[in-house]
Amino acid sequence: MNRTLTMDDLVIPGIWLAAGLLAAFLLRMLLRWLGKHADRTRWSGDDLIVDVLRTVVPWAAFLGGAASAGAALPLTRTVQHNVNQVLTVVLIFVVTLTAARGIAGLMRTVTQSRPGVAGSATIFVNITRILILAIGFLVVLQTLGISIAPLLTALGVGGLAVALALQDTLANLFAGIHILASKTVQPGDYIKLASGEEGYVEDINWRQTTVRALSNNLIVIPNGELAKTNMTNFMRPEQELTILVQVGVAYDSDLDHVERVTNEVIGEVMTEVEGAVQDHEPIIRFHTFGDSRIGFTVILGVGEFSDQYRIKHEFIKRLHRRYRKEGISIPAPTRTVAIQQGTVAIPQQRIPEEADGMAPVRLD
């Protein structure tokens, strides 16, 4: 069409465009109302569904109105085709971004609600988001009439060169996937490496694992190094663990009385101190005739790794106070040193006369 558009030509398209805008506004208000009701439910999946629909549905209504308006205009076939392509690309773009956000949120919801699954799935979320965006990009190219077969071939050939250039990065990526998939380490676990680093795992992403030490400092470990090193996970297979406290009493102590008093203190600590395992059975094992004491081990149950410091603190204070009350002696370590008979000379020093006339000492 070569003639100039008149007001009569714009009335119906304007009505369609206004109808699309109105439908988008009303649908957004409806979905916002549904979102408030979804917040009251215990299931978090409905919140995610409403959030996705709140983005896609209004855009679809608006673009549908725009497409109807374009169809009502007296446009040439080429212009009409171009308008439809542009609107389709915009819709694919919106759907792709919304799908990437929605599926990433779904993965976080699922992993956080299930014990034994990755509490933080950053690496999986990022990979999924990239895949969805790549698929959306390919769909856009196909919609525009651009063949994607040569592009996929070029990506396959170029991927080899990229893989060789990024060996360390890819090694860290696949090491992170292996760590999470094998469930040997999950965010929230307390780990200790053979090299000495220890702390709570904060996150495992595509390149590195972040560990928060008890001093609240962050330790960054490449995934490849974490996969190769020897490591102790204090949260698996169970979060609860036992700790050992070494104690010693004098040889003249009544060991039955010592055991009974220690059991009472253990019971108090397990019941009153936060982080202790209340149903833990008190365990005391005498094991050593030492130089100055009879040694024994007390085994305590703690809820998780960092609780041990508070429990040890309270146990030692209460046990020491109770032993003093009961008259149970905890002797200090002593050692007898035999000195061969002879003369030990102490170097002579000049001492002022005011120093009470003290003279050098000679031991025979």
Side-chain angles (χ1 to χ4, degrees):
M1 170 184 171
N2 296 323
R3 69 179 179 83
T4 306
L5 295 176
T6 63
M7 290 299 297
D8 294 336
D9 295 329
L10 299 177
V11 171
I12 295 179
I15 293 174
W16 276 114
L17 189 61
L21 286 171
L22 180 62
F25 176 76
L26 294 177
L27 287 171
R28 187 166 183 83
M29 292 298 101
L30 175 62
L31 290 170
R32 182 177 296 179
W33 177 79
L34 289 176
K36 293 180 180 179
H37 284 274
D39 290 338
R40 301 172 187 171
T41 63
R42 298 178 60 183
W43 184 46
S44 58
D46 53 359
D47 299 333
L48 184 61
I49 294 172
V50 172
D51 183 61
V52 170
L53 293 177
R54 193 159 51 187
T55 303
V56 174
V57 172
W59 271 101
F62 169 71
L63 293 174
S68 299
L73 286 171
L75 303 175
T76 62
R77 182 175 298 179
T78 302
V79 175
Q80 185 70 47
H81 177 70
N82 291 337
V83 169
N84 290 336
Q85 273 195 332
V86 170
L87 295 176
T88 304
V89 168
V90 173
L91 181 60
I92 293 173
F93 180 74
V94 172
V95 171
T96 301
L97 291 180
T98 306
R101 190 181 74 237
I103 293 177
L106 178 63
M107 292 183 65
R108 288 194 185 94
T109 301
V110 171
T111 54
Q112 290 175 0
S113 63
R114 288 176 144 192
V117 184
S120 174
T122 301
I123 186 170
F124 293 133
V125 168
N126 290 337
I127 292 175
T128 303
R129 185 183 289 118
I130 292 172
L131 287 176
I132 294 174
L133 293 176
I135 293 172
F137 176 71
L138 295 177
V139 172
V140 168
L141 292 180
Q142 194 71 28
T143 303
L144 295 175
I146 301 174
S147 177
I148 63 174
L151 178 62
L152 293 177
T153 303
L155 288 176
V157 175
L160 253 130
V162 172
L164 291 174
L166 300 176
Q167 289 186 28
D168 293 340
T169 301
L170 292 177
N172 288 326
L173 172 63
F174 288 110
I177 294 175
H178 171 71
I179 290 170
L180 284 175
S182 63
K183 301 179 184 179
T184 55
V185 179
Q186 300 292 331
D189 291 351
Y190 192 96
I191 63 173
K192 182 176 182 179
L193 306 184
S195 54
E197 295 90 349
E198 61 179 290
Y200 289 97
V201 177
E202 288 285 302
D203 188 27
I204 303 175
N205 57 33
W206 64 274
R207 183 181 179 276
Q208 63 202 18
T209 298
T210 305
V211 176
R212 178 173 54 83
L214 292 179
S215 59
N216 216 28
N217 298 322
L218 292 180
I219 305 171
V220 179
I221 307 168
N223 292 333
E225 296 297 325
L226 184 64
K228 291 187 295 184
T229 188
N230 294 331
M231 173 183 58
T232 303
N233 190 335
F234 292 96
M235 297 292 195
R236 298 183 184 275
E238 294 181 359
Q239 183 171 340
E240 295 181 358
L241 52 89
T242 56
I243 57 174
L244 308 180
V245 181
Q246 304 299 329
V247 189
V249 294
Y251 273 91
D252 59 356
S253 302
D254 182 351
L255 297 187
D256 290 331
H257 181 57
V258 169
E259 185 174 10
R260 183 170 57 255
V261 170
T262 306
N263 275 328
E264 292 175 1
V265 175
I266 294 174
E268 293 177 3
V269 172
M270 293 295 100
T271 303
E272 300 174 7
V273 179
E274 181 183 358
V277 181
Q278 296 187 6
D279 57 354
H280 174 73
E281 181 181 357
I283 300 177
I284 299 173
R285 295 293 182 265
F286 294 94
H287 55 73
T288 304
F289 288 102
D291 293 336
S292 59
R293 63 179 67 191
I294 296 177
F296 63 94
T297 300
V298 177
I299 304 177
L300 305 174
V302 298
E304 63 107 358
F305 185 85
S306 62
D307 293 331
Q308 63 175 303
Y309 303 105
R310 178 173 55 254
I311 293 171
K312 280 183 180 180
H313 170 78
E314 285 296 328
F315 175 72
I316 292 174
K317 282 202 314 181
R318 298 187 186 203
L319 188 67
H320 180 261
R321 182 168 59 246
R322 185 67 184 277
Y323 276 7
R324 292 184 62 183
K325 181 179 179 181
E326 299 289 338
I328 299 173
S329 174
I330 304 177
T334 59
R335 176 172 296 178
T336 302
V337 180
I339 301 178
Q340 186 176 1
Q341 184 176 3
T343 301
V344 180
I346 299 178
Q348 184 175 359
Q349 299 179 359
R350 294 193 58 178
I351 302 177
E353 296 180 358
E354 297 88 289
D356 299 330
M358 295 178 61
V361 179
R362 178 177 293 274
L363 301 178
D364 295 327

